[in-house]
Structure formats: structure tokens, C-alpha cells
Amino acid sequence: MCKTGLVTALFSIFLLAAPAAFGQVNYGDFLGTGVDFLQVTETTQTPPDPAVLWDAPVLNGAGSGLEFFPPNFTSICAAGSSDITSSQLQTTIMAQGANTIDEVALLESGDVTLTKFPPFGDPTTNASASLGGFLTVIEDTGGPIVPVVIPFAGTFVPASTFSLPGDFGASTWQGSFLIDVAAQVPNATKAILQLNNTLDSNCGAGATSGKIQKKSVGGPTVALIVNPTPCDLLIEKTCCLPTPASPGIDICEGKSVRAVFEVTGGGCDATTNDQEGKAKCSGLDPVLDPGDTVDITVLKDEDKVSVNGNLGGTTGVPVGSTIEFTHVDGELKASTKFRVSGPGGNQELTVHTSCSKSLACGDQFGSVQLVELQTTEGGTTVCTQPEEGGTQCTPPQGQVGVGCTERPVQIVFEYTGSACQNPLPQPPDKAECAGDPAGAQPVSVTYTGKDPGKFTLDPASNIDVGETFSFTATGRDELHSESQFLIADAGGVVQNLRLHTSCSQPLACGDEFGALKIVEFTQKDGTVVSCDTDPGPLFQQACEVPLAPPTPHCTSKVMELQLAYIGDAFGLGCGVSNPQDGKASCTGVDDPGSPVSVTITKDPDKVFADPNAGINAPTMTSVDVVSIFKEEGGVRKELASTTEFDVSGPGGTQSLAIHTSCSQPLNLGDVFGSFAVVGIDRQDDGFVGLGGQVEYQYTVTNPNAGDATNVGVLDDPFGLIASGETIPAGESKTFFTTKTLYATLTNEAFVSGEVGNSTCTQTPDPEELTVTVSLPPQGSFDCSDAKPINQLSMEWAGLQNVRIRAWKGSVGGTLLKDQDNVMPSDVVTVTGLGGSPNDQVWEVFQAGTLNKIGESQFHISCSDSNMNGIEDCGKAQGDGKSDDPAKLNDWLFEGMKGDQTLDCTPDPIQTPGPGFCGLGFELALLLPGLMWLHRRRRTAS
């Protein structure tokens, strides 16, 4: 059920005539969807009032309310006299079907305008008016209830009696009642409503007697609401883990088919990838102002290279827009040369596009930046991120766009019923199409090319739109370089096709040639490429995201280091959690305090901190992040082997040195004095940051018969997701938000809206979703460097509860552990293993007894290849290094620990309580839900 909004209606003003009798009018019946309003009448109460004071009421859209639109209550009297204007509305209501009358609601509101004419006397004392009345509900189904009488006085704002203000202004008033009928008669199905309104006016005596005064009440507007009809909004909240391409990672595989650049502006020194000398730039920055437009002119193969679909180039491209390069032969050549012309001058660029040199998301070439690339083997990579509120979890295209690398022996086509495309996926001299099936079905397909007896079509007939058939070389070991097809329905041929099928011309998953679409192909080398685009459910009811990628995080030259200022929150003082083999250091005060400034002390003319002042200590809702980077001539360079800086605040100065060449470990979560590492931009491997990015999807469905308006979605704790939306009847609308999480979070989604005049509830209430944030997956692990192994963890994979006794060496040696009631999937951890002998034996008994089931044996010297690395996680264990079949091999390897730790299943990071927690990755526990500053880059001007 929903609580309906109370409706406000407006009155018109008229002067009362003076008939000499009470008046009554029957407005008839008003039949609703949840309750019927019967015998709706009005009776005037004070002669000589006119017959009626109200207009006929209107039933609201939900069928639960009766809205009255009467003229104004107006009173006329002579100076020194008074006047009463009063009317009663009465209606009998009957609940429909199995409904009962649970409550009755009333809203009245309006304004009082007290005027006099002609002017006389003191305006503040010679006129006043009061508005009074009551609402009575009588239930007559199961015996009358005590009438519910609620006077207006004291309920409305302002009070029920108004004095004429000195400026003859207006006063507003409003009020509402909610009568709980069900509390007195739980099964009430019929009730009588009586609504009385009275305007009592006093026309004060003035200096001139016998004059007429008029008292007007702008209102009361009235709506009677009974038993609101149910209206629901359905909400489903799901999550997805976006995987956008990272800058710095080569995305050029095979041959380039399409390259898209954003026009950003920038001089030649803005170039970030010289492609080993193959990329060229000369000339000036063509952009002077963000509002500029530029022209693009192709300088090589201008009769074959298109820009945004125009051979040879295009004009009037706004800064911030994209330019797309394609080649009529299907693949871009080794180099793409073009000129960018704008108000700032001309710039000539060469970009190597054969994939023999790297191309990465975000690569800058003078005034343009790579934002999308399609290649024959890597498919399409979109580098740019969506706008806020848009989805990053767009359905992956499976293998669509992946081209053949060997001549096919079979192609599976889907019949689409489509007309010929222009252009076709292959050059005009390699592919042809004529005719339009216009969705005709069923159809037959006939191969009309060379050696028809050596190729099979299955099926060859009775093919409907959306169905597939295979084209297979059965009489030879590969398809011919060219294949031709005829498509016909019962009326004759509807389309002829010719395409190149040797792989020397573009031939890729998803390619469409007229009514035929490639959905799979098998190559001569046996490779089967499926073009299935159904990725399964992208959005899930629950998600798990790692706090950070596996270590190591510093894998190539550091272009930027992001540090969160934490002061001495962890109690390290002026210390470091990662000494970097003596390369990292901290000297000075334990806590610089807040706010602090950062001063670069090594190469201060080349290394910069942003921001470098006003850096505050963390709170439970925010943290300040400082980016440290190196620039020479406006071009980003890698940081030197050591980065040194001072941190100064009211508590003193702290001097820090961090090794930033990656020759020593540097990982997310490392703490150096008053800073913790939260982001590293790597030259070759792109940016890596602390926190798991999750995209939330909120799908709101309106199952009601009317449109849902003013729909809003609220997330706790994220806040407002959407507002003011309209969802048509029977339809759904989806909203998105992307957040970065640093701890496991369960949040709730709420939806509200209106259908007609009803305020809707949601189903379910509320909609919960949990995203688990886990410690990073296990990174590199060298068992020999971990020796001696002193801890072993195993998961019991048996079917019954057991008791184990773990012995060092053999049964009867040193007892390391005695644990009872180990259930299936429980993890048992045994410590104290270091040193000879390297074997340990676990006796396994029935739970609660010493009824021995058998023994398991483990060798922990690293020489057991089945139990010494990440690749062994989850493998069956227990038969020792010699694979002894007499041993119980019902344990799954879960991890080991020595000087290094191998943890196959890291525990999730729990949502923390107040206060600070731990070191390293537990920095995330300090400020759950925190949105770290996004990576910042400067654009060379």
C-alpha cells in the first residue's frame, strides 16, 4: 500500500445572491478503483445563502480521492454587523471488493483576503473573520462508531481567526487530518463523511456607517482521500566490476583496422610515445582556445584513408571531439600521416599504425590523443571513460572484431534478412552484394562459386531470420579465396553475395555481408573463433573486488606517485613500513601535524608536488592525496631512483626519501612517515591504485496502470542517485553510479514516486546489496625464499566431520595440533613446522573419537612440486612428496608461511568500526567508502 498525496484545488470568487431558503444539490456517484463515493451532496447552512457553494467534485486518477473545486467563500455585511457563510458536504463511501476502509484523510488550504470599501475607520480593528468547521466520520456497517470530530482551530497555520492587517494583505492557512477508521472498526467497509466549513465575518463599525464590506476566503481547497489504492515500484540493485583499458598498456595486436583520436590540443612536446622513433610531429599547436575547431588533412594515401567517413580528411572538428581513421582496404598501413590545422597554426603528425610498434590508451601525439583502437586480433578497445551516471559495464563483444589469421575451413553465418550494407566490410573489388530480402523467411542458400561439389551448406533451406547455417569445405582442406552465395525465398532470388574468404582480406567475427552475418569460423590451423556476443549476466546480486591488484605494483619506471597524508594515524612515528633495503628513510618529527606543506628537496626545479600546501590530516570522511611527478619542458618524465621531500606543519618537519625506480619493492599501502602510497603511474604498465571500483545498477520498474512521476532513487550511504524521473506504465528505467570501495560494504537502495495522486511504496523494502572487498590476490611467491616453512594451511575436502592430530616427522614425534570436529570446507592451520624433519603426518579420526580413518602426509621443504607455489592452490594433497596411495589425499592446499606468505584465499576486508586500523593495505580500513582523488595530469600548452 502507499500513502497518497493530498490534493489541493482552487476556487473562483463570486458575490452571493440572496435567495431565501437552504439549498441542496446531489452531485451523484463517483466510482473509483479502490473505493466508491456514493450520494455526494452539499447543503447550505445559513439563509439566505444560494443553493450551492461548491462545484461538482472530481475523482482523482487513483480512484482513492474526491477533489472539490468550489468558488470562494465570500461574506458581505454592513459596517457594524456580521455575516456567516456555511456549507456542509456529505458523501457515503463504500470500499470495493475485499478492501476495507482503513483511514480517511482530509486536506484544506487557502488564503484569507479581508477587504473593505469604501475605506473608513481603523483597518486593524473594524473587520475580522474566523473560519471554523469539523469532519465527522460515521461507520454504519458493523454498528456506528463514536463520531470523530476534529475542529479546525489550533490545527491550521495561522490560527483559525484572522485580523485584518494594516496593509490589507493576505494570510495563508493549511491543515490536514488523518482519521484511523480501522482502529475503531477494523472491518469497516462503508462510512459517511460530513464536512462542515463556516466563515464567520465581523464588519467593524467605521467612521461612516452603513457601508458594505466584503470578506473573502481564498479556499478552502478540499480533497477527501479514502483507502488509497495500492501502487508499487519495483527496484533491483545489482553490481558490476568495470575493466577499462589502462593507459600505457599496448593494445595494438595484429593489424589496425580503425584508430580514433581525441583532439586535445598540444604542441609536439606533448607527445608521450615516440614509437621508437616512428612517430613524428612538426609544427605548432593548432589550438589556441578550448572553443576552437580544426581541419584534418590526410597526407599519405589520401585517396584511401578516410577521416570520420570522408576520404582525404574533414573540416570543422571541435576541440574535444574525435577523429576516426579507416582505410578502404580494411587495414591501416604502417604509418598514418595527417595535418591538423587550426587558429594556432599547422601541425603535421605521423603515427605508426601497423602494430609493430606499441599503441596504448592515452598515447598523446602532439595535439591528438588515442582513445579507441580496433585491430584484427585484439578487437575493439575503448579507452575513454563514460560520463558520470553512464555505464562502464557495457556488454563485452565477445570475439566480435577478431579476424582470421589462417584461411578458414568453415564459416557459420546467421541469416539476418538485411539489405546490402554500404560499404561492405571488404574493399569494393573483393566483395559485392545485390538485392534486399526485406526480412523474407524462410529462405534457402545456395553456393554458386568454384567447385560447388566440394562445399557443404547445413542447413541449406528452411532458414528463418535469426537462424544459422554452416558453410564448410568438405572436399578440400580450406575455403576458396572467393565464395559466392544466392539467397532465395518461395518467390525467387532475393539477394546475391560475393565475398573474399581466404583471410587475405578483412574477415572477422560480426562482419555482415548483406543478409549474412559471421558468428563463428574455424581456421585451417584448427582454431575455432566463436563470435558469441552473449556475455551472460554482467550485473550480479553480489560482487567481490580486490583492494588492489597482486603485488608487485612497481613494475616499470614511475611516472607519478600518489601519497595519502595520514599523519601519525598508525603510530609509526617517523618510520617506514617498507625499508626498501635501506633506500627509504624518514627523519625528523614523529607527526608534522595539520595542515602541512610539501617541499621537494631533490631536483626541485623538475619534480613537483600537487598540492604542495594546505594538506590536512585524514578524517572518517576525507583524506588529502598528494601527486608527485617530474616534468621537463612541459613533458612528463619518469621519477629518479630516489624521491626526496620535506613535510612541514605545526608539529615540525619530517624529511622523507622513497626509492622510486622499482629496483626495490614499492607497493600500494606502503607507509613512509606521514604518507601512504595509494597510486602508482607506471611507464609501461599504466596506473594502479588502491581501492576496488564497482559500478552499481538500479533498475526501477513501474508495474502500475499509470505513469510513475517524480521517481527518485536513494542509496544509503551513497545518497541521491536519481530524482524527478518519469517511468511509463509497465516500463523500467535503469540508473548507474560508479564508486571506489576500500572495505566490504552492504548498502540499501530506496525508490519513491507517484502514480496519479498516490505516493508509491517500493518492493522489496529495502533492496540490499553487498560488495566484498578482499585483500589483493597472491602476488609472486618464491618458496625457496620463504624457507624455512613454519606454517601450513589445508582445507578438509572429505565428506564427514573429523578429528586430526598433526605430528612433526611421524606419529609419536612432536604433537603440533589436536583439533576435533573439523567439518567439510574447514581450514586447518598448523604452525611450528620449521626445521628438520621436513615431513609431518596428520592422523585423521572420526569426529569425537579415536577411531582412526587414516593418515595424511605433507612435505614442506619446497621440493614437493605439488605444494610449493600459487599454481598449487586448491589442489588435492595429503599423499606426501612420493604420492603414496595409502595416504588420505582429501586436503586442498590453502597456503603456507615462512619469510614469505602464500595465502590462496585472502580474507575479505571487513567494514570497520570507528578508529584507525593497521598498516599497509589496511589503510583502506581507515576511511571506508572514500573516493580517492582521480589521477591528475597536466596538459602541455
Side-chain angles (χ1 to χ4, degrees):
M1 297 287 285
C2 60
K3 303 298 182 185
T4 186
L6 300 174
V7 181
T8 301
L10 296 178
F11 289 38
S12 61
I13 301 175
F14 70 99
L15 293 178
L16 302 180
F22 292 101
Q24 186 178 58
V25 61
N26 185 349
Y27 291 116
D29 300 343
F30 295 84
L31 308 181
T33 58
V35 65
D36 291 335
F37 293 79
L38 305 176
Q39 300 176 354
V40 182
T41 61
E42 177 195 351
T43 304
T44 59
Q45 300 295 295
T46 52
D49 286 342
V52 295
L53 299 178
W54 303 78
D55 290 336
V58 176
L59 189 70
N60 70 6
S64 59
L66 201 61
E67 306 167 9
F68 291 89
F69 298 85
N72 279 13
F73 278 79
T74 303
S75 176
I76 300 174
C77 59
S81 64
S82 62
D83 181 68
I84 295 176
T85 300
S86 179
S87 178
Q88 180 188 84
L89 294 170
Q90 179 169 312
T91 179
T92 301
I93 59 175
M94 178 73 74
Q96 283 191 354
N99 287 337
T100 58
I101 299 174
D102 297 328
E103 58 188 32
V104 176
L106 166 71
L107 170 69
E108 289 196 304
S109 63
D111 60 76
V112 173
T113 303
L114 303 181
T115 62
K116 67 178 183 62
F117 52 90
F120 59 89
D122 181 0
T124 62
T125 60
N126 66 14
S128 64
S130 63
L131 182 70
F134 56 86
L135 175 69
T136 301
V137 178
I138 301 174
E139 198 283 323
D140 66 355
T141 301
I145 62 174
V146 177
V148 180
V149 180
I150 305 177
F152 292 162
T155 303
F156 295 100
V157 180
S160 59
T161 299
F162 305 94
S163 295
L164 182 67
D167 59 358
F168 305 113
S171 298
T172 60
W173 55 274
Q174 62 181 0
S176 63
F177 306 127
L178 184 65
I179 299 177
D180 188 355
V181 178
Q184 300 183 61
V185 184
N187 298 313
T189 59
K190 185 178 180 181
I192 298 173
L193 305 179
Q194 292 179 340
L195 174 63
N196 285 61
N197 282 282
T198 300
L199 174 63
D200 187 349
S201 298
N202 170 33
C203 298
T208 305
S209 63
K211 300 299 182 180
I212 301 299
Q213 294 181 343
K214 182 178 73 171
K215 313 290 185 292
S216 297
V217 178
T221 63
V222 174
L224 296 174
I225 310 296
V226 184
N227 244 30
T229 54
C231 78
D232 293 317
L233 289 175
L234 310 179
I235 184 169
E236 180 185 25
K237 182 180 179 184
T238 49
C239 57
C240 172
L241 306 183
T243 54
S246 298
I249 297 178
D250 188 4
I251 58 173
C252 203
E253 300 179 49
K255 300 291 185 181
S256 297
V257 175
R258 183 170 57 91
V260 182
F261 298 88
E262 179 184 348
V263 179
T264 61
C268 289
D269 56 1
T271 300
T272 59
N273 181 8
D274 68 357
Q275 297 185 296
E276 299 180 18
K278 297 296 184 181
K280 307 290 184 182
C281 179
S282 63
L284 304 173
D285 182 353
V287 175
L288 293 178
D289 186 89
D292 289 343
T293 61
V294 298
D295 298 336
I296 310 297
T297 305
V298 177
L299 301 179
K300 180 182 179 182
D301 294 336
E302 57 270 21
D303 58 337
K304 295 184 177 181
V305 177
S306 294
V307 182
N308 292 351
N310 302 309
L311 273 177
T314 190
T315 60
V317 179
V319 174
S321 299
T322 58
I323 50 176
E324 177 183 280
F325 289 88
T326 55
H327 199 286
V328 295
D329 293 338
E331 296 174 0
L332 295 171
K333 301 308 177 184
S335 61
T336 299
K337 297 183 179 182
F338 56 99
R339 178 187 301 116
V340 185
S341 304
N346 296 328
Q347 186 180 83
E348 294 188 2
L349 294 167
T350 299
V351 179
H352 197 76
T353 47
S354 75
C355 290
S356 63
K357 304 301 178 186
S358 70
L359 270 173
C361 282
D363 278 352
Q364 186 84 27
F365 301 95
S367 57
V368 301
Q369 185 180 58
L370 183 68
V371 295
E372 186 173 339
L373 187 68
Q374 180 181 349
T375 63
T376 57
E377 295 182 18
T380 298
T381 301
V382 178
C383 308
T384 53
Q385 299 301 307
E387 298 296 327
E388 182 70 21
T391 174
Q392 291 180 333
C393 292
T394 52
Q397 297 302 303
Q399 298 294 318
V400 170
V402 174
C404 57
T405 56
E406 296 281 345
R407 182 173 292 200
V409 298
Q410 182 188 73
I411 300 177
V412 178
F413 292 101
E414 176 188 340
Y415 171 64
T416 65
S418 301
C420 299
Q421 296 81 22
N422 184 21
L424 292 169
Q426 293 177 347
D429 61 334
K430 301 297 181 182
E432 289 182 324
C433 176
D436 182 2
Q441 61 179 10
V443 298
S444 62
V445 181
T446 304
Y447 171 70
T448 59
K450 184 179 178 181
D451 298 329
K454 296 183 178 181
F455 300 93
T456 302
L457 293 167
D458 184 24
S461 61
N462 204 31
I463 304 169
D464 287 338
V465 172
E467 294 183 341
T468 61
F469 66 92
S470 60
F471 171 55
T472 310
T474 52
R476 50 182 284 128
D477 59 359
E478 59 188 26
L479 298 178
H480 278 312
S481 60
E482 184 177 275
S483 299
Q484 299 180 35
F485 302 96
L486 177 152
I487 303 174
D489 66 1
V493 176
V494 293
Q495 195 172 72
N496 284 282
L497 289 169
R498 177 174 66 88
L499 61 148
H500 210 76
T501 50
S502 72
C503 204
S504 64
Q505 299 299 319
L507 188 69
C509 278
D511 281 352
E512 294 190 59
F513 297 87
L516 303 186
K517 177 181 179 180
I518 297 176
V519 295
E520 183 180 296
F521 58 82
T522 302
Q523 300 185 154
K524 187 176 179 180
D525 61 3
T527 301
V528 178
V529 180
S530 173
C531 314
D532 183 8
T533 60
D534 182 9
L538 288 173
F539 286 87
Q540 308 290 333
Q541 299 299 320
C543 292
E544 182 173 350
V545 60
L547 179 64
T551 55
H553 296 142
C554 194
T555 55
S556 60
K557 298 292 185 180
V558 177
M559 304 299 292
E560 180 181 323
L561 190 64
Q562 292 187 355
L563 303 171
Y565 181 64
I566 61 173
D568 193 22
F570 296 152
L572 273 181
C574 191
V576 297
S577 66
N578 176 11
Q580 297 184 293
D581 196 24
K583 303 291 185 180
S585 64
C586 176
T587 58
V589 299
D590 284 345
D591 186 0
S594 175
V596 298
S597 60
V598 171
T599 303
I600 303 297
T601 56
K602 181 179 180 181
D603 295 331
D605 57 334
K606 298 177 181 179
V607 179
F608 303 92
D610 179 22
N612 59 11
I615 304 159
N616 293 303
T619 68
M620 288 303 294
T621 57
S622 66
V623 68
D624 285 353
V625 176
V626 176
S627 295
I628 295 180
F629 54 91
K630 182 178 181 180
E631 280 188 357
E632 293 185 32
V635 178
R636 282 291 177 96
K637 301 289 186 180
E638 67 270 15
L639 290 171
S641 59
T642 303
T643 299
E644 299 177 8
F645 57 95
D646 287 346
V647 186
S648 300
T653 297
Q654 191 178 81
S655 297
L656 295 173
I658 303 174
H659 198 73
T660 47
S661 75
C662 293
S663 63
Q664 297 297 326
L666 178 63
N667 293 310
L668 299 173
D670 286 347
V671 177
F672 300 95
S674 54
F675 280 99
V677 179
V678 295
I680 305 173
D681 186 12
R682 304 164 298 184
Q683 185 179 56
D684 297 335
D685 301 317
F687 179 79
V688 62
L690 192 65
Q693 192 177 64
V694 181
E695 183 170 352
Y696 291 91
Q697 173 181 260
Y698 307 81
T699 300
V700 179
T701 301
N702 173 20
N704 304 288
D707 292 352
T709 59
N710 198 28
V711 174
V713 176
L714 183 70
D715 185 291
D716 182 12
F718 295 150
L720 190 65
I721 304 299
S723 63
E725 299 284 342
T726 296
I727 304 178
E731 297 187 13
S732 300
K733 187 174 284 190
T734 301
F735 310 97
F736 301 92
T737 187
T738 300
K739 299 295 182 182
T740 302
L741 301 187
Y742 301 87
T744 297
L745 179 66
T746 297
N747 50 356
E748 299 176 340
F750 303 86
V751 63
S752 62
E754 300 171 2
V755 176
N757 294 307
S758 297
T759 301
C760 300
T761 57
Q762 71 180 53
T763 306
D765 182 13
E767 169 76 344
E768 288 189 349
L769 183 142
T770 297
V771 175
T772 301
V773 179
S774 61
L775 288 170
Q778 177 71 45
S780 60
F781 175 81
D782 188 332
C783 188
S784 60
D785 287 345
K787 293 175 66 176
I789 304 299
N790 54 33
Q791 178 176 301
L792 180 67
S793 296
M794 291 287 174
E795 177 184 334
W796 173 237
L799 300 178
Q800 65 185 106
N801 294 0
V802 296
R803 173 183 181 180
I804 69 108
R805 283 183 174 179
W807 301 91
K808 186 174 178 64
S810 59
V811 175
T814 303
L815 183 63
L816 302 175
K817 189 157 197 166
D818 187 342
Q819 181 173 338
D820 198 1
N821 201 34
V822 177
M823 295 182 289
S825 300
D826 279 356
V827 175
V828 176
T829 299
V830 177
T831 59
L833 317 179
S836 181
N838 291 320
D839 285 322
Q840 58 174 295
V841 174
W842 293 9
E843 289 184 292
V844 182
F845 307 90
Q846 292 178 347
T849 73
L850 287 177
N851 298 327
K852 193 167 182 176
I853 299 173
E855 295 180 356
S856 298
Q857 183 174 344
F858 308 100
H859 189 78
I860 54 169
S861 71
C862 296
S863 60
D864 185 351
S865 60
N866 292 323
M867 201 179 69
N868 63 2
I870 301 169
E871 69 280 357
D872 301 320
C873 286
K875 285 184 179 179
Q877 306 287 343
D879 55 7
K881 181 179 177 180
S882 59
D883 300 333
D884 186 346
K887 303 295 184 182
L888 289 179
N889 200 39
D890 292 332
W891 299 91
L892 303 180
F893 183 55
E894 183 59 27
M896 57 175 53
K897 183 175 182 180
D899 289 341
Q900 290 186 0
T901 298
L902 171 55
D903 187 355
C904 294
T905 309
D907 292 331
I909 300 173
Q910 300 299 322
T911 303
F916 302 120
C917 313
L919 302 174
F921 291 112
E922 292 180 41
L923 171 67
L925 303 183
L926 174 64
L927 303 167
L930 173 69
M931 289 297 293
W932 295 101
L933 297 181
H934 289 293
R935 135 184 221 216
R936 288 176 290 223
R937 289 193 175 278
R938 291 183 175 178
T939 301
S941 59

